[in-house]
Amino acid sequence: MQKESSKRSAGYSGDADLKGLASRIGYQFRDMELLRTAVTHSSFANENKGSGVCNERLEFLGDSVLGFVTAEYLFQHFPDLPEGDLTKTRAALVCEKALCGFSSGLGVGDCLRLSHGEHNSGGRTRPSILADAFEAIIAAIYLDGGMEEAKKFILRVLAPNLKNARVKPFKDYKTALQEIIQQNPEERLEYVLTGESGPDHNKHFTVEVHLNTNVIGKGGGRSKKEAEQQAAREALELMGY
């Protein structure tokens, strides 16, 4: 019993955990190894050589599947929404905060395979890790059962948000700033990474947003995307928006 507890504290996820997760997902995997990979963080794979690959490639694929399914749903169900509003709505539905919530609701955090360091530093509740695992799970379903099964899962999980998609406000500072700047075609907007610090499990990025050669905003966050959003937010505030 103590041995099992020790494994768990080191980020171990046993077959019972995976079967429980599969049950909550609502999909019966033919190849459970795909689900195991989906909950394997890079820190675990690096710390346990020979334990299998991490979920980064699945995350890449799942992000694309999620984006397509969400875009298709919005396109079909909201024919009067212009392209810009469709883009903002999709971004709100699949942002890190939303995906983290979906992942938490499925109990993914309890099943993650993490390194000792990642586990001890709160990796099971870290939004970026949970969001990435959710996308990896989508890819695992897609590879195991095809697009229709992945689509069923995505729409079932997103259903409550999809119903109110049109009325949910979304603060996409980058898009808002771009729309303002592009009114003057000669102006050039650029996001520049100026700093990166911290260990792999707790990175911090700093970004500047440049208008031509002038710095008009600075921001920081746990991901480059978050830092860029914060830099754009500061720029909008300085511009009086």
Side-chain angles (χ1 to χ4, degrees), residues 32 68 81 107 112 135-136 139 142 152-153 169 187 190 211 231 235:
M32 286 292 286
F68 171 75
L81 279 186
L112 290 171
E135 291 178 331
Y142 170 76
K152 286 179 188 176
F153 168 69
E187 304 284 6
E190 181 182 10
L211 180 60

Side-chain angles (χ1 to χ4, degrees), residues 10-14 18 21 32-59 108-109 111-115 118 124 129 132-134 136-137 140:
Y12 175 82
S13 183
L18 291 179
L21 177 59
M32 286 292 286
E33 194 60 32
L34 282 168
L35 182 58
R36 191 188 309 278
T37 300
V39 297
T40 301
H41 188 252
S42 58
S43 64
F44 183 92
N46 291 334
E47 188 174 83
N48 300 270
K49 302 299 182 183
S51 63
V53 296
C54 69
N55 62 8
E56 289 178 348
R57 283 175 56 83
L58 286 179
E59 175 206 338
V108 173
C111 303
L112 290 171
R113 303 173 85 199
L114 305 170
S115 68
E118 194 63 68
R124 294 192 185 282
I129 293 179
D132 291 348
F134 183 79
I137 288 170

